[in-house]
Amino acid sequence: MTSGNKVSKREFLNGDEAVAYGVRLCRPNVVSVYPITPQTIVVEKISEFVANKLMDCEYIHVESEHSAMAAAMGASMVGARAFTATSSQGLAYMHEMLHYVSGSRFPIVMMNANRTLAAPWNIFGDQRDSMAQRDTGWIQVYVENGQEALDMIIQAYRLAEHEGIYLPVMVNLDGFVNTHTYELVSVPSQKEVDEFLPAFVSKNAVDFNNPRSYCMSASTEWNMEFRQQQHEAMMKSKKVIESIDREFGDKFGRYHGGMVKEYKCDDAEVVMVTTGSVSGTSRLVVDSMREKGLKVGLVKLRFFRPFPAEYFRELKSRVKAVGVIDRNLSFGYEGAVGSEVKSAMYDSCGSPKFIDFIAGIAGRDIKKDDIELMYNKLLNLSRGQEEAELQFIGMRWQE
Amino acid sequence: MIEVRWHARGGQGGFTAAKLLGLAASVFEDNYAQAFPSFGPERRGAPVLGFTRIDDKPIDDHSQVYACDYVVVLDETLMEVVNVTSGLKDGGILLINTESAPESFKLGDNFKVVTLNATDIALKVLKAPITNTTMMGALAAASGIVGIESVLSAIDAGMPENLREKNKKAVMIAYDAIRGVK
Amino acid sequence: MSKPQIVKYKMPECKKDMPLGPSSEAGVIIEPNAGWRVMKPIIDNSKCVMCLRCWLLCPDGVIDREKGILEIDYNFCKGCGICSRECPQKAITMVKEGKQYD
């Protein structure tokens, strides 16, 4: 595929390749690279693009993920549009740099391949890695397929670089299930993407003509004001997320639903909240259960940070029971998404009944039968039967 | 939605076939497709699986393939160590690369068994016992799930230039052989 | 040479059977050659001159020299073929698994 196409081209790509194509279209100036399964194909594909002169950027090999983020930050600091990608152990390794980047307000975009964290070591997919980074001040979006991955890389730069936002964005794909699965992807033309995403002119970069200090320390007397500022920017981004997605939909024909995308929730008695690829599988289960006359619906949570609390506050009056599929677990309590959905719906006037389902850890498949079982438990609950609030699904042993 | 499972040993190109089939059905026809390998450590000689899903609408299912309409076995020695008929739906087709006739595999009547000596074709045309594209041609003929022109286009788009002509030749020999049998 | 024995490893059958964290006892093989092997090396002792090159180069250390002739521990041999390739006397042949004389 050449970069001079005027129209979108249909390609059969895996999720990692789709991300690489998306990155190429965004014309980053710097890509810093450290490989880790199942992200490696992203950075390998980008290296091919660079070698074949289809991308014009600095491709920096670093010795660790911590340095990958540090290099991206250094690049952003001089006004470059920067990209990196990682997963699991690598994401954990760059943890402190995630705070550095967001606190310094650099609009970096990073793809994360959701993979479990050791120990026990395992390369397969769950969302424990990114959920553990939820307080780092990064905007987090979860995609369900290669097309959405490509589209969100493009939208992520618009969002990150938006005036008044200047927050880094993490685009999450499910490891293997998204990253290594080939699907039909429509790759937009360079011309269309250039129109949607102009070149980056940073408002937060070193400039010899206007010398400033950057990444300063902030004393106890000033620090909290910066944190409030960061929080307010993240809160402001909620509207920006929606408007960028709408604009993307108008231009490329694909509006992905903004922060939250409902499926058959209008008259639903019970709904399930999902993040990532399981959303698609769940829609099939909704359809098959609806055929049996069961009023179930799906809430695909796309953005975890900022968290759409207002949506869930409003949802609670519409349904009798809410379930969450958490591909993560905060040991000693419950799943991260479940925890936040539940608390958003809480008020003194009562909340819908709720179950947090822990499923799909370390690549354990979430089958359609499993999802149907979860919906049936929600239906039981909505009819007054007892159901435990935290349940593990798909385990070897029941007890 | 059609689901196909490919059985091969690591290094035989089982997943390449799964991927090329998906490419043929999606980019070169008006369908949607998904292709993925069994996710696990791989080494030459070990049994591996490939999967292809084909549908006329976007494929939302991201769970594993449990029940399939077609099973393709690139290496019959796998049948000694793997149950290749597991999950094959009633009325489905099992395609085996073998010299033996379908009747010799006593696997019951719930599905059809189609055989082809793909190794022979591959050795003659490709000079190597890599039967993935040959069996793709056989599958196209036996199932009709993808047009043969699309398979050929997929090979042009998805294989290195020096491999295209001979692989397309192998595909056509297999395709014609199975169509003749039908 | 002390070799791990094939022990019928009992997989946990309930929560109580699980070890403390991801750990297990040592010195066991759960599955002989872990199901990897497709080809297997056969040493022709009449050709072998005990140069010990294969013994030295085997990445899994499965060749035993203690008894004065070389013996391969087929429970561990992965069939990589390095011994066969490196033998200066061409005394080791790789045969397809299942077709050897044992």
Side-chain angles (χ1 to χ4, degrees):
Chain A
M1 186 199 161
T2 66
S3 58
N5 287 358
K6 303 276 189 315
V7 294
S8 299
K9 189 158 183 265
R10 288 157 82 235
E11 302 270 0
F12 195 58
L13 304 174
N14 66 34
D16 273 358
E17 288 173 335
V19 168
Y21 275 82
V23 172
R24 177 175 118 184
L25 288 165
C26 292
R27 302 190 193 264
N29 306 105
V30 174
V31 176
S32 55
V33 173
Y34 192 86
I36 179 168
T37 303
Q39 151 268 41
T40 44
I41 296 170
V42 176
V43 294
E44 284 169 359
K45 197 77 189 159
I46 293 176
S47 79
E48 275 177 38
F49 289 152
V50 172
N52 295 331
K53 310 240 189 297
L54 295 169
M55 265 176 90
D56 177 19
C57 68
E58 286 294 324
Y59 188 88
I60 309 180
H61 294 97
V62 291
E63 90 300 346
S64 79
E65 286 89 350
H66 186 285
S67 293
M69 189 50 69
M73 177 167 159
S76 192
M77 201 182 295
V78 298
R81 178 175 282 158
F83 176 80
T84 191
T86 193
S87 172
S88 166
Q89 313 301 133
L91 185 64
Y93 201 169
M94 58 162 74
H95 176 76
E96 70 161 345
M97 291 313 303
L98 297 181
H99 282 282
Y100 260 88
V101 165
S102 63
S104 306
R105 309 295 294 277
F106 291 121
I108 292 169
V109 170
M110 172 167 68
M111 171 266 188
N112 180 58
N114 285 120
R115 161 185 149 180
T116 199
L117 284 160
W121 187 86
N122 176 293
I123 56 169
F124 298 105
D126 65 31
Q127 293 168 356
R128 295 178 59 230
D129 58 356
S130 54
M131 291 295 167
Q133 305 299 340
R134 87 191 137 158
D135 303 331
T136 54
W138 279 63
I139 293 174
Q140 284 195 16
V141 61
Y142 291 81
V143 303
E144 72 170 270
N145 57 36
Q147 183 70 72
E148 196 181 354
L150 188 158
D151 293 348
M152 291 318 295
I153 293 288
I154 300 170
Q155 289 194 32
Y157 276 109
R158 271 292 297 270
L159 175 60
E161 296 168 3
H162 195 279
E163 196 174 333
I165 304 298
Y166 273 69
L167 290 168
V169 180
M170 190 188 301
V171 179
N172 291 288
L173 275 71
D174 280 321
F176 289 97
V177 167
N178 280 150
T179 59
H180 284 59
T181 295
Y182 284 78
E183 295 176 296
L184 187 63
V185 176
S186 175
V187 181
S189 71
Q190 186 64 70
K191 180 169 176 293
E192 292 173 284
V193 176
D194 288 342
E195 286 162 4
F196 184 81
L197 178 72
F200 181 38
V201 180
S202 179
K203 298 223 177 354
N204 189 28
V206 164
D207 177 0
F208 292 122
N209 297 319
N210 296 295
R212 295 171 66 77
S213 297
Y214 289 88
C215 305
M216 300 166 73
S217 303
S219 66
T220 310
E221 286 75 22
W222 284 99
N223 200 293
M224 257 180 107
E225 278 68 29
F226 284 107
R227 293 305 176 197
Q228 189 181 49
Q229 182 196 62
Q230 205 178 331
H231 172 71
E232 284 170 2
M234 180 86 76
M235 296 301 265
K236 254 189 23 204
S237 74
K238 292 184 192 181
K239 290 210 164 74
V240 180
I241 286 167
E242 175 67 26
S243 69
I244 288 174
D245 201 5
R246 288 271 176 210
E247 195 188 318
F248 192 92
D250 288 340
K251 187 164 185 72
F252 297 97
R254 291 182 296 277
Y255 164 67
H256 289 289
M259 294 193 70
V260 174
K261 184 158 181 188
E262 288 190 351
Y263 183 70
K264 300 195 174 168
C265 290
D266 289 344
D267 64 338
E269 289 179 359
V270 307
V271 296
M272 192 76 69
V273 181
T274 56
T275 47
S277 59
V278 73
S279 310
T281 318
S282 300
R283 280 198 294 275
L284 295 173
V285 176
V286 166
D287 286 342
S288 70
M289 291 183 82
R290 283 263 175 186
E291 273 170 34
K292 297 181 204 161
L294 299 165
K295 293 198 168 32
V296 299
L298 181 79
V299 174
K300 176 183 166 189
L301 179 63
R302 300 185 67 243
F303 281 80
F304 183 58
R305 280 295 180 272
F307 187 76
E310 315 69 15
Y311 169 81
F312 288 104
R313 263 178 235 132
E314 190 272 332
L315 176 71
K316 71 167 181 268
S317 54
R318 289 198 270 142
V319 300
K320 294 188 188 146
V322 175
V324 173
I325 300 181
D326 263 308
R327 300 195 77 153
N328 67 84
L329 176 59
S330 186
F331 305 100
Y333 192 24
E334 57 194 356
V337 181
S339 212
E340 301 199 356
V341 166
K342 187 173 59 162
S343 71
M345 295 191 299
Y346 172 83
D347 71 21
S348 52
C349 302
S351 295
K353 302 181 197 249
F354 174 82
I355 306 178
D356 191 6
F357 297 105
I358 307 299
I361 298 293
R364 187 162 296 188
D365 195 30
I366 306 179
K367 304 176 197 162
K368 296 191 275 292
D369 286 350
D370 293 327
I371 300 170
E372 189 170 343
L373 173 70
M374 292 187 246
Y375 270 115
N376 282 326
K377 286 173 180 286
L378 288 176
L379 287 164
N380 286 348
L381 189 66
S382 73
R383 290 164 192 155
Q385 291 173 45
E386 294 249 335
E387 283 283 347
E389 200 184 81
L390 181 73
Q391 301 198 26
F392 284 73
I393 300 295
M395 304 300 290
R396 260 174 205 277
W397 307 303
Q398 289 308 316
E399 42 96 11
Chain B
M1 177 166 67
I2 307 283
E3 292 173 291
V4 181
R5 186 173 69 227
W6 303 76
H7 287 268
R9 291 189 184 274
Q12 290 176 337
F15 178 60
T16 302
K19 189 171 69 160
L20 289 174
L21 178 65
L23 172 60
S26 61
V27 171
F28 295 104
E29 293 187 359
D30 247 332
N31 292 313
Y32 293 84
Q34 232 185 45
F36 51 96
S38 47
F39 299 130
E42 285 181 33
R43 54 255 169 197
R44 283 198 178 273
V48 293
L49 302 173
F51 299 94
T52 315
R53 284 185 166 124
I54 298 172
D55 203 351
D56 56 9
K57 47 191 190 309
I59 298 174
D60 279 343
D61 197 344
H62 281 88
S63 64
Q64 297 292 305
V65 171
Y66 294 101
C68 42
D69 304 279
Y70 304 97
V71 173
V72 184
V73 180
L74 297 193
D75 180 337
E76 66 180 307
T77 66
L78 282 165
M79 296 174 72
E80 295 157 33
V81 290
V82 176
N83 177 7
V84 301
T85 62
S86 158
L88 181 55
K89 295 178 190 163
D90 289 352
I93 301 181
L94 170 64
L95 276 100
I96 311 173
N97 167 26
T98 176
E99 290 180 324
S100 315
E103 306 74 52
S104 64
F105 298 91
K106 297 183 186 343
L107 294 166
D109 330 286
N110 290 349
F111 44 81
K112 189 168 163 204
V113 178
V114 172
T115 61
L116 177 71
N117 191 346
T119 303
D120 195 53
I121 298 172
L123 283 170
K124 287 201 178 99
V125 178
L126 304 175
K127 313 278 187 277
I130 303 293
T131 57
N132 58 349
T133 47
T134 312
M135 291 301 278
M136 257 210 311
L139 176 66
S143 69
I145 56 176
V146 67
I148 196 62
E149 288 303 321
S150 309
V151 173
L152 299 174
S153 300
I155 288 177
D156 277 334
M159 291 193 103
E161 205 178 328
N162 59 321
L163 295 179
R164 288 173 201 166
E165 287 317 307
K166 40 188 185 178
N167 275 283
K168 286 196 284 187
K169 190 169 169 202
V171 162
M172 286 314 298
I173 295 174
Y175 181 72
D176 290 336
I178 299 297
R179 286 194 75 200
V181 167
K182 270 174 80 174
Chain C
M1 173 166 128
S2 86
K3 307 178 198 182
Q5 303 304 306
I6 295 190
V7 167
K8 190 130 176 61
Y9 187 82
K10 192 168 178 297
M11 291 292 190
E13 282 167 9
C14 63
K15 280 187 189 177
K16 282 212 312 274
D17 286 350
M18 296 275 285
L20 175 61
S23 63
S24 85
E25 45 182 305
V28 301
I29 317 175
I30 295 168
E31 195 189 340
N33 66 71
W36 281 33
R37 203 169 59 218
V38 176
M39 304 287 281
K40 135 180 205 163
I42 307 288
I43 300 179
D44 179 350
N45 288 297
S46 67
K47 291 188 184 160
C48 172
V49 298
M50 290 294 279
C51 72
L52 299 184
R53 191 167 167 78
C54 61
W55 172 87
L56 194 65
L57 292 171
C58 172
D60 279 356
V62 308
I63 302 181
D64 182 358
R65 61 174 188 161
E66 265 172 22
K67 294 185 188 134
I69 63 163
L70 295 181
E71 283 178 358
I72 292 174
D73 185 347
Y74 290 107
N75 287 329
F76 260 124
C77 168
K78 305 296 185 300
C80 73
I82 287 176
C83 55
S84 169
R85 188 165 164 124
E86 294 293 328
C87 176
Q89 304 299 321
K90 308 257 180 290
I92 306 182
T93 17
M94 299 303 290
V95 296
K96 201 154 178 222
E97 192 64 44
K99 292 196 157 86
Q100 72 289 354
Y101 301 92
D102 227 18

